[in-house]
Amino acid sequence: MREDSRVRFGVLGPMVVRRADGTEVRVGGPRLRALLAVLVVDAGRVVGVDRLGDALYGSEPPVGVANAIQSQVSRLRSLVDVEVERSPAGYRLVVDRGEVDALRFEELVARGRPGEALALWRGPALRDVGDAPFAAVAAARWEELRLRVVEDHDVASVGLLRELVAAHPTRERLVARLMRVLHREGRQAEALELFGRVRGVLAEGLGADPSPVLAAAHGEVVRGEVPRARHVLPAQLTSFVGREGELRLVGAALAASRLVTLTGPGGAGKTRLAVEVAGRDAGEVLFVDLAPLAVGGDVPRAVVAALGLREDGLREDGLRPERAPVERLVAALQDRPVLVVLDNCEHVVEDVAALAGRLLAACAGLRVLATSREALGVTGETVRPVPPLVSDGVGSAAVRLFADRAVAVNPSFRLDPVSAGVVVEICRVLEGLPLAIELAAARVRSLPVSEVAARLGDRFRLLSRGSRGAVPRHRTLHAVVEWSWGLLGDDERVLARRLTVFRGGATLSAAAAVCGVVGTDELLPSLADKSLVEVSGDRYRMSDTIRAFCAGRLAESGEEEVVRRAHAEHFAGLAAEAAPHLFGSGQLEWLGRLAAEHGDFVAAVRWAAGCDHGLALRLVADLGWPLWLRGLRSEGASLAAEVVRAVGPVPPVGFAEEHLLCVVNASSTGVGLPGAPSPRQPTPEGFTGPPTRPFLSVLWGMAHGVPRMDAPAAEVLRVRSSLLATDPWSRALGRLGSGMQHRYSGRVGVAWEEHTAALAGFRAVGERWGMSMALSQLAELARARGDLAGAVGFLDEALALSRQFGATEHTASLLCRRSEWARHAGDLDGAAADVERAAELARSQGVVETVAHAWLGMAEVARRRGDPVAARRWCAEALRVCPQGWFGPDEVRSLIHVTAGRVELECGDRGAAVRRWRLAAVSALGWGNQMVLARVVDAHAALAVVVGDGGRAALLAGAARGLRGEVAVVDPDVLEAAREAVGDRFDAVSARGAALGRDELVALLDAAS
């Protein structure tokens, strides 16, 4: 009988009625007891007046029997304080059927818990009710069910078996059970004596020999066969899927430790795993389900009942009912090697811990396997968390479980190529939680699997139909989590609901700062102990399912706005604290710290974008640089665009620089925003600088290109002072930009000096991105000087530094550059491998500009291999994905046009080639990009060779060299053809070309076209 009922009724023995406080109600008089008994037998159902009359008065009812019955019912109501509902058809006792021991007995038998069922018996059923026909029928039915339970399950004591065999000496299965129990306990002589006595009864009374069942038991005793140890475990209705590794680990733990506790959140599969482990144990196994016990219930008494230790003390070992339950358990278990499974301990964990500690100390052969949402905390305990099922592919345990349960409810379900991906996603979203997966699979009975996946956004509503046979708290996903929530203290609930604002988990200090709950340093580990949060390193994380439940509680509390603001302000403070370290030797350490909080930064930005524009701008401005360094350039630009759209074109007062940085960052991927600066303006309009965030200087230079060297000195100084601060890192960045200016203008000697100084400056502060950029520029200059070994050394060091940030866009760009060198050296396979890897990295980061650069590299490889069709296809794809509007993407587009024109020329279409080159030239002239212009001139030199104009080819080759300040041209074959065409005049003609001014060069290109 349950501990939390209002009134409980016992009919398996003398009739007894107990109030909620445990006091007994004496029901005097045979008729009143008979009335109560007949109502109790059919608890919850209407009992007709005729049946009531038979029960109370037999075959001679009084005149006015209906009034007599009504009078008895009134007496019963006043005595027992129970509701007896009257209807036209009769009377109904309004009570949960589980509060009647006989009906509870039937339920436990049906659920495969025979030990608990037998423990409810206190003697012959309805023995003090009289001779009413209903009583005899009901008592006989329950007695027969009890006999079958004892015969079918090894759960009864020797004392009970002797009692039942004495009453039913010819039930041979019952006798066989008693013989095997006596044999197992080493009492073979008694078992053989019993067999002989029963054989005689059968022969004399029935003229029959022992049945095969009884003969088999006799043979086992005679041969001395060791009977299989009894396993009292609940029968399983479904197959066991997955957990093979856990089975081995828990089995090994039980072999090494006498107390093993399986922990994990509700629905993790702790009970099923415990049953499977116990089922493989070679010794005696007893199972105790503590789920029906109320919080604060009597744990020792519940274990006594589950193990079948009868309340009336009718045991062969002489135990008396007045002995305390713990003493009775010690007496029953101290001489037995037995494994006891204590299931569902979390709501009575302290009492379970006390009992387990006492029993383990007193019973040397006892082992305990417990399941709980938190550890028992007993000395010597081995804790084994039950992890989620692996759900990383079609063959994973989670997917196999889903498929198994789906087929059970819908035999037409198949895990085919279409459904497999959907099921993998369902299992991933449900985080491998077995109960959730089983509930989702059950919906396949009425919904297509794709619809199940689509509805997972409201998982508690979708997964609201579980097995009616399961305990209530395991019937729905909501009930599973709600049970855990109900076990928390008030402060734990406050902390749990506030923790839901964290997206990527929280450190102890972050949780304390954001949640504002006194004692967080103790409460948060307590939530972890209770399986409400998971611990990984120094972080505490909620599963999505628990977070969804607790977030609902946060919304109900009215605290959400305050907590989300505290969350956003905390992470804004962290980003600001990190900012100076990201430009020095602490760069990698702080990038790692920020990366761990990535999900929370994004959540903070999106909340602030709707609620506090200044805070949102500050967050995105401080996050732009670390996101760029980590290769998340597109995500940073996307967040910046979200904030700018929310804020509008006019920033809040005091946030002009942050707003400008967000606008420029957003436009880095081609996003058009109102108020975005023109790509060609040298400095931000109205911005006097220098910026407090050096990332703005980096972004502006990448967006707007290198300032021209032919600008007035005063203008160059104004630009530099407005865009560059005076700190050491910014000074090094200034030297890097100056080196690029000189290199783009063909002044390679000065460029070398500037890049060398920039490298030294970045090394001095320990900043890796700047070092990598300076090294990559020095590599280009070394190659131009003809020092290929030096160039490779610089580039390899740049790549090594870049890779420290991870798979970034900068690494991809360096690989594209190395690929170009490999092509010129004739290593086409190496060139192809580099651009393929570059494209892979760039795609993973969403940097389409670098993807386009990689496809350009593939086009050049195809062209060099003599495959113009493939080269043309790669050029088209590169142009399709390449953005425009920034200096960098426009440079890539121009280079694609140069290569596409060369392909057209090699295919014989000179007009198409010239049109391509004209597009490249216009862009190069507009940006003042002399490197790209040199490539266009090289291409025209190749055209001059094709048409047989060697003099023009030599002139153009010299012009290209003058533009770049380099000796080599793109195509050595063109240079050689020009030398052959003009002979000794080549140097003079080439020198004249190198001295051409811009206007003369443009005119020469027009003439060549």
Side-chain angles (χ1 to χ4, degrees):
M1 293 180 284
R2 296 174 182 169
E3 295 289 333
D4 59 347
S5 61
R6 186 181 58 180
V7 179
R8 293 169 293 163
F9 302 89
V11 294
L12 298 180
M15 175 169 284
V16 62
V17 181
R18 294 189 186 277
R19 301 185 183 93
D21 60 4
T23 59
E24 183 176 340
V25 180
R26 297 186 64 82
V27 181
R31 286 196 176 121
L32 196 59
R33 285 198 301 274
L35 172 64
L36 179 59
V38 72
L39 290 173
V40 165
V41 167
D42 284 305
R45 294 196 291 259
V46 175
V47 181
V49 173
D50 291 343
R51 187 160 183 244
L52 289 172
D54 288 342
L56 271 65
Y57 305 106
S59 59
E60 299 180 359
V63 177
V65 65
N67 291 332
I69 292 172
Q70 184 177 358
S71 175
Q72 293 287 353
V73 169
S74 296
R75 288 182 59 202
L76 182 65
R77 286 175 178 149
S78 62
L79 179 66
V80 180
D81 188 24
V82 70
E83 182 179 357
V84 181
E85 183 180 87
R86 183 177 182 181
S87 74
Y91 293 86
R92 181 172 75 93
L93 179 65
V94 182
V95 66
D96 184 344
R97 289 171 62 84
E99 313 308 340
V100 178
D101 62 355
L103 304 183
R104 174 72 173 154
F105 166 72
E106 293 178 357
E107 176 190 346
L108 289 169
V109 170
R111 291 175 57 184
R113 290 157 63 179
E116 292 179 64
L118 289 179
L120 296 174
W121 283 74
R122 295 168 291 107
L126 297 169
R127 73 180 186 186
D128 56 351
V129 172
D131 56 358
F134 87 90
V137 172
R141 176 166 57 85
W142 292 327
E143 178 66 17
E144 177 61 27
L145 182 57
R146 178 168 75 145
L147 288 170
R148 288 206 304 268
V149 168
V150 172
E151 290 171 344
D152 294 341
H153 302 278
D154 189 7
V155 292
S157 65
V158 170
L160 176 59
L161 284 167
R162 285 190 182 281
E163 175 188 334
L164 295 176
V165 166
H168 306 278
T170 59
R171 288 191 71 120
E172 294 178 76
R173 293 180 65 234
L174 188 64
V175 175
R177 176 67 66 191
L178 175 55
M179 288 180 62
R180 288 190 170 98
V181 172
L182 290 170
H183 177 36
R184 185 176 64 233
E185 295 188 0
R187 297 151 74 173
Q188 285 80 7
E190 292 181 53
L192 293 173
E193 187 274 332
L194 172 63
F195 175 79
R197 187 170 67 249
V198 171
R199 181 172 57 181
V201 170
L202 290 171
E204 293 174 10
L206 302 176
D209 292 326
S211 68
V213 171
L214 187 56
H218 176 256
E220 290 174 11
V221 177
V222 170
R223 292 188 297 270
E225 295 177 359
V226 178
R228 190 181 72 85
R230 67 171 179 159
H231 279 196
V232 182
L233 291 169
Q236 301 303 306
L237 302 179
T238 56
S239 60
F240 183 72
V241 178
R243 302 287 192 204
E244 291 80 7
E246 285 84 356
L247 280 172
R248 291 191 297 272
L249 288 173
V250 178
L254 272 175
S257 173
R258 293 178 59 212
L259 172 60
V260 176
T261 303
L262 306 182
T263 62
K270 302 182 294 296
T271 297
R272 189 59 189 272
L273 177 59
V275 169
E276 292 296 324
V277 170
R280 288 162 168 75
D281 195 271
E284 183 180 11
V285 178
L286 302 174
F287 184 87
V288 181
D289 182 8
L290 297 172
L293 199 62
V295 174
D298 191 336
V299 171
R301 191 172 299 279
V303 176
V304 165
L307 298 187
L309 306 181
R310 300 177 61 202
E311 293 287 348
D312 60 5
L314 297 178
R315 288 178 53 90
E316 189 176 61
D317 54 18
L319 289 176
R320 294 290 181 262
E322 63 270 13
R323 295 180 67 179
V326 175
E327 294 179 15
R328 296 174 63 213
L329 287 169
V330 170
L333 299 173
Q334 64 183 350
D335 296 324
R336 295 161 65 181
V338 60
L339 170 63
V340 174
V341 180
L342 299 177
D343 192 36
N344 295 302
C345 301
E346 56 274 350
H347 59 304
V348 286
V349 65
E350 292 185 2
D351 292 338
V352 172
L355 178 62
R358 172 77 173 86
L359 294 179
L360 289 166
C363 307
L366 173 66
R367 291 173 298 146
V368 174
L369 176 59
T371 74
S372 176
R373 300 187 190 186
E374 64 176 304
L376 303 187
V378 175
T379 301
E381 177 184 28
T382 297
V383 179
R384 284 286 178 267
V386 178
L389 290 174
V390 176
S391 52
D392 58 358
V394 176
S396 64
V399 173
R400 287 189 284 120
L401 176 65
F402 184 98
D404 181 87
R405 303 305 190 253
V407 169
V409 299
N410 183 355
S412 65
F413 176 80
R414 293 292 181 272
L415 200 63
D416 55 34
V418 175
S419 64
V422 180
V423 173
V424 169
E425 180 62 15
I426 289 172
C427 295
R428 185 196 64 78
V429 171
L430 296 178
E431 302 166 294
L433 189 70
L435 177 63
I437 291 170
E438 292 190 342
L439 292 172
R443 298 308 305 269
V444 175
R445 177 189 299 114
S446 55
L447 291 174
V449 69
S450 58
E451 188 65 23
V452 173
R455 297 188 184 190
L456 282 176
D458 188 358
R459 65 187 66 191
F460 291 121
R461 182 177 180 183
L462 175 70
L463 308 181
S464 60
R465 300 180 186 176
S467 170
R468 294 188 181 98
V471 293
R473 71 170 193 248
H474 275 174
R475 289 178 188 169
T476 70
L477 188 62
H478 187 276
V480 168
V481 185
E482 189 173 43
W483 169 257
S484 294
W485 176 264
L487 299 178
L488 301 180
D490 291 341
D491 287 345
E492 289 175 321
R493 291 182 187 181
V494 173
L495 181 59
R497 69 182 181 235
R498 293 180 182 179
L499 275 174
T500 59
V501 299
F502 288 93
R503 303 305 301 173
T507 62
L508 200 57
S509 59
V514 171
C515 298
V517 179
V518 176
T520 294
D521 57 338
E522 295 181 358
L523 294 172
L524 190 50
S526 177
L527 290 178
D529 290 341
K530 296 177 179 179
S531 301
L532 264 292
V533 297
E534 304 162 1
V535 183
S536 178
D538 64 345
R539 305 186 72 78
Y540 296 81
R541 175 187 176 275
M542 276 184 168
S543 71
D544 289 343
T545 296
I546 292 175
R547 179 187 292 110
F549 179 91
C550 295
R553 308 292 79 73
L554 179 64
E556 293 167 359
S557 72
E559 304 168 345
E560 186 169 9
E561 185 73 14
V562 173
V563 180
R564 292 201 180 279
R565 175 171 293 280
H567 175 268
E569 289 177 345
H570 171 78
F571 284 99
L574 180 61
E577 181 185 1
H581 300 282
L582 297 173
F583 294 93
S585 59
Q587 189 176 58
L588 291 182
E589 176 189 349
W590 277 91
L591 282 176
R593 291 182 61 178
L594 297 184
E597 313 289 359
H598 181 80
D600 285 286
F601 279 121
V602 173
V605 168
R606 288 183 170 148
W607 177 85
C611 300
D612 188 331
H613 289 167
L615 182 59
L617 288 168
R618 183 155 55 92
L619 265 164
V620 176
D622 282 333
L623 289 173
W625 178 238
L627 289 175
W628 188 286
L629 289 175
R630 291 174 51 214
L632 302 177
R633 170 177 163 184
S634 295
E635 184 171 359
S638 177
L639 283 175
E642 286 184 43
V643 170
V644 171
R645 291 191 184 101
V647 173
V650 180
V653 175
F655 292 93
E657 179 181 324
E658 290 85 352
H659 187 266
L660 174 62
L661 195 156
C662 289
V663 169
V664 179
N665 193 1
S667 63
S668 69
T669 54
V671 176
L673 293 171
S678 165
R680 306 302 169 93
Q681 67 187 71
T683 58
E685 185 176 346
F687 183 76
T688 58
T692 60
R693 292 174 173 82
F695 182 45
L696 178 56
S697 305
V698 176
L699 276 178
W700 191 267
M702 292 184 171
H704 300 274
V706 177
R708 294 182 177 177
M709 293 300 296
D710 56 2
E715 176 65 14
V716 172
L717 181 61
R718 186 188 69 79
V719 170
R720 291 178 64 85
S721 62
S722 65
L723 290 176
L724 289 170
T726 58
D727 62 279
W729 188 90
S730 296
R731 289 200 300 270
L733 182 67
R735 302 299 292 267
L736 182 69
S738 175
M740 290 183 178
Q741 281 181 291
H742 288 290
R743 180 181 164 221
Y744 275 99
S745 299
R747 303 169 185 173
V748 293
V750 182
W752 181 273
E753 294 175 1
E754 290 294 287
H755 287 314
T756 301
L759 178 61
F762 288 127
R763 285 196 196 279
V765 296
E767 199 278 297
R768 293 164 177 79
W769 177 87
M771 286 189 269
S772 181
M773 288 294 293
L775 285 163
S776 67
Q777 294 298 316
L778 288 169
E780 285 289 342
L781 293 173
R783 184 175 71 91
R785 289 177 168 183
D787 180 9
L788 185 59
V792 170
F794 284 129
L795 191 60
D796 284 348
E797 187 179 354
L799 275 167
L801 287 166
S802 179
R803 285 168 175 149
Q804 293 180 16
F805 299 121
T808 67
E809 178 266 343
H810 182 52
T811 301
S813 295
L814 293 174
L815 288 170
C816 287
R817 188 167 299 171
R818 192 169 73 178
S819 171
E820 183 179 347
W821 298 1
R823 289 198 311 271
H824 289 306
D827 181 9
L828 298 183
D829 290 341
D834 274 345
V835 289
E836 285 173 1
R837 175 58 178 155
E840 180 184 345
L841 290 178
R843 280 198 304 267
S844 71
Q845 306 302 322
V847 187
V848 290
E849 168 194 336
T850 309
V851 173
H853 201 170
W855 294 157
L856 168 61
M858 292 300 294
E860 281 287 2
V861 170
R863 186 175 77 84
R864 300 292 178 115
R865 286 173 170 167
D867 188 353
V869 174
R872 184 181 282 149
R873 185 176 68 251
W874 283 117
C875 284
E877 182 64 14
L879 283 172
R880 186 186 68 80
V881 302
C882 190
Q884 51 189 324
W886 268 41
F887 176 80
D890 277 358
E891 179 177 277
V892 175
R893 293 183 70 86
S894 297
L895 294 175
I896 297 168
H897 282 304
V898 171
T899 294
R902 285 184 174 275
V903 173
E904 298 297 347
L905 180 62
E906 291 167 4
C907 291
D909 191 342
R910 298 176 190 172
V914 170
R915 287 192 294 273
R916 292 280 193 176
W917 297 335
R918 188 178 298 279
L919 290 172
V922 169
S923 177
L925 290 167
W927 285 103
N929 192 333
Q930 295 193 185
M931 282 185 57
V932 171
L933 192 59
R935 298 286 183 96
V936 176
V937 173
D938 282 330
H940 278 282
L943 174 59
V945 169
V946 169
V947 300
D949 189 345
R952 189 182 298 276
L955 189 66
L956 289 166
R961 184 180 62 186
L963 286 168
R964 282 198 304 248
E966 299 175 3
V967 175
V969 293
V970 173
D971 193 337
D973 293 337
V974 172
L975 181 62
E976 187 60 31
R979 286 184 183 278
E980 291 179 1
V982 297
D984 294 340
R985 295 187 300 112
F986 176 81
D987 289 339
V989 174
S990 177
R992 184 159 57 87
L996 289 175
R998 171 174 165 160
D999 293 340
E1000 293 174 300
L1001 178 60
V1002 171
L1004 179 62
L1005 293 178
D1006 288 340
S1009 301

